[in-house]
């Protein structure tokens, strides 16, 4: 593994190794002094061209725990405003001494493009509507922790599947680990028929449902997604109230899902739209566990890419 660009190209063994490493590293976070010298002397460049709270902060925290230096870059106020290209910017920052690049960008494929032109590892922290591999890894770790396995589960992903990079990485990640993935949402937010073969990695392991109940019935895991309005161009949703009524997750879903099914969300949440306020008190809601696991997973990814092991 030279880069982490997407889940699609990882194999099951890669995923298992990262999860195992993350499980081992997580213990460091609970020490009185949560810091080890493992990546001392390494510099990580965090290049976020889109808003981020959890992802950026947890990469930064992961670097600090492993003693790597971080350099943060803000497009505003940089020479990008004078017309410098992204590639030139990154090459110059590389020349200033950087060992790994973490990038989030609104154009799908940006991390792959940069990886082709740089001699350092590149980690995709979310590229357009394409993928968000570290989010899927932390989702897998959270489910493995709570349910003990990823094999044979039914995972329902609800909402804006078409524009959500989290959905895409989760669809690939859960199938690779032996879970079946059912997606549901209004037709205009679902993959089109011709796209379905791209998502179905294993025959019978991926299903698109127009009906919420079909996706949720007997689910072990339910993942709610934010509607990605910033990626819609022309507004696609006529009414958020109506969306909440038909596809929002509220206590009515408890009749359909399995007892003890996990409820997840990558954040940021629009309460009252994709999740009703009551669901905050649902006892198997693991949204903050996901955030905590984000640090451990990102530590594992940094360590694998920077220590050469
Ligand atoms: C997601 C993202 O940016 O793709 N957030 C995250 O990284 N946790 C999901 C979203 O913005 O809806």
């Amino acid at each position: 593994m030279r880069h982490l660009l997407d889940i699609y190209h990882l194999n099951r063994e890669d995923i298992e190794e990262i999860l195992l490493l993350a499980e081992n590293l997580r213990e460091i976070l609970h020490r009185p002094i949560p810091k080890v010298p493992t990546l001392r002397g390494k510099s990580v460049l965090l290049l976020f061209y889109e808003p981020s709270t959890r992802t950026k902060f947890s990469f930064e925290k992961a670097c600090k725990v492993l003693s790597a230096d971080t350099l943060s870059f803000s497009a505003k106020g940089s020479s990008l405003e004078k017309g410098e290209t992204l590639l030139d910017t990154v090459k110059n920052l590389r020349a200033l001494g950087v060992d790994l690049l973490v990038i989030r960008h609104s154009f799908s494929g940006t991390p792959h493009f940069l990886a082709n032109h740089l001699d350092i590892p590149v980690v995709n922290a979310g590229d357009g509507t394409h993928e968000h591999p570290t989010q899927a890894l932390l989702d897998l770790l959270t489910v493995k922790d709570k349910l003990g396995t990823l094999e044979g589960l039914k995972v329902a992903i609800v909402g804006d599947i078409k524009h959500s990079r989290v959905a895409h990485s989760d669809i690939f990640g859960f199938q690779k680990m032996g879970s079946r993935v059912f997606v549901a949402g209004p037709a205009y937010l679902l993959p089109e028929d011709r796209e379905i073969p791209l998502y179905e990695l294993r025959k019978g392991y991926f299903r698109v449902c127009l009906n919420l109940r079909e996706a949720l019935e007997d689910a072990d895991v339910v993942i709610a997604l934010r509607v990605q309005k910033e990626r819609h161009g022309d507004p696609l949703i006529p009414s958020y109230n109506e969306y909440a009524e038909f596809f929002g997750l509220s206590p009515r879903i408890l009749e359909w899902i399995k007892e003890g099914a996990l409820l997840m969300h990558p954040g940021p949440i629009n309460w009252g739209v994709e999740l009703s306020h009551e669901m905050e008190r649902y006892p198997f809601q693991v949204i903050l566990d996901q955030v905590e696991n984000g640090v451990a997973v990102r530590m594992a990814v940094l360590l694998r890419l920077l220590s050469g092991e």
Side-chain angles (χ1 to χ4, degrees):
M1 207 172 106
R2 283 189 47 233
H3 306 282
L4 177 62
L5 301 175
D6 48 46
I7 297 289
Y8 185 82
H9 291 99
L10 292 186
N11 57 41
R12 188 177 173 136
E13 290 70 42
D14 292 324
I15 297 176
E16 273 166 359
E17 276 177 31
I18 296 170
L19 298 185
L20 191 65
L21 187 54
E23 278 166 355
N24 289 328
L25 292 169
R26 195 160 43 185
E27 165 270 320
I28 301 170
L29 299 170
H30 300 290
R31 292 184 190 170
I33 300 174
K35 205 168 178 71
V36 291
T38 322
L39 294 182
R40 198 158 55 190
K42 301 283 188 193
S43 290
V44 173
L45 174 60
L46 303 171
L47 211 52
F48 279 69
Y49 283 85
E50 269 192 2
S52 175
T53 303
R54 284 149 288 268
T55 306
K56 186 164 184 223
F57 185 79
S58 63
F59 267 112
E60 212 168 316
K61 169 99 183 163
C63 288
K64 290 195 159 58
V65 174
L66 295 171
S67 299
D69 292 329
T70 55
L71 295 115
S72 278
F73 177 85
S74 144
K76 209 168 156 47
S78 77
S79 290
L80 284 166
E81 291 183 348
K82 298 184 189 168
E84 187 166 55
T85 66
L86 173 65
L87 184 58
D88 276 341
T89 302
V90 174
K91 279 185 173 166
N92 279 273
L93 293 167
R94 162 77 185 109
L96 290 169
V98 165
D99 300 292
L100 181 144
L101 167 67
V102 176
I103 177 144
R104 166 169 288 193
H105 202 285
S106 54
F107 288 168
S108 300
T110 302
H112 306 67
F113 166 74
L114 293 176
N116 276 333
H117 289 88
L118 292 174
D119 59 349
I120 53 170
V122 175
V123 177
N124 180 2
D127 64 323
T129 58
H130 176 232
E131 278 218 38
H132 190 349
T134 55
Q135 178 69 43
L137 291 167
L138 74 89
D139 289 347
L140 292 170
L141 180 61
T142 307
V143 174
K144 187 168 173 248
D145 264 359
K146 299 285 174 189
L147 301 183
T149 181
L150 293 164
E151 188 72 56
L153 301 179
K154 175 174 177 180
V155 178
I157 309 181
V158 181
D160 189 355
I161 311 297
K162 200 177 175 70
H163 305 95
S164 164
R165 52 198 179 203
V166 174
H168 302 152
S169 290
D170 276 344
I171 288 167
F172 297 138
F174 279 102
Q175 283 182 86
K176 285 187 186 228
M177 300 309 288
S179 303
R180 286 173 308 139
V181 181
F182 287 61
V183 299
Y188 49 88
L189 299 180
L190 290 177
E192 286 158 32
D193 287 349
R194 64 183 164 76
E195 294 167 337
I196 293 173
L198 296 174
Y199 292 113
E200 189 178 48
L201 297 186
R202 307 170 73 173
K203 197 94 202 104
Y205 276 67
F206 177 70
R207 173 96 61 92
V208 177
C209 311
L210 282 172
N211 177 310
L212 184 62
R213 183 175 180 153
E214 184 192 349
L216 293 184
E217 214 144 42
D218 290 323
D220 300 280
V221 177
V222 181
I223 302 176
L225 299 172
R226 184 180 65 86
V227 175
Q228 308 279 301
K229 344 182 216 243
E230 71 278 22
R231 304 191 203 289
H232 290 179
D234 287 336
L236 282 175
I237 299 210
S239 150
Y240 280 90
N241 284 341
E242 195 177 277
Y243 178 87
E245 193 179 321
F246 288 103
F247 290 99
L249 304 181
S250 64
R252 75 192 160 119
I253 72 161
L254 303 182
E255 280 178 32
W256 305 334
I257 61 181
K258 268 197 192 148
E259 169 76 31
L262 303 180
L263 175 65
M264 303 171 66
H265 193 302
I269 302 173
N270 286 321
W271 291 105
V273 183
E274 66 268 21
L275 283 180
S276 77
H277 291 276
E278 295 103 307
M279 294 310 276
E280 198 173 356
R281 292 189 301 276
Y282 172 64
F284 306 103
Q285 178 263 95
V286 292
I287 297 168
L288 292 179
D289 301 80
Q290 289 172 267
V291 178
E292 195 186 334
N293 282 330
V295 180
V297 154
R298 288 169 180 126
M299 285 165 69
V301 169
L302 293 171
L303 198 58
R304 266 202 72 168
L305 293 174
L306 280 173
S307 69
E309 280 166 18

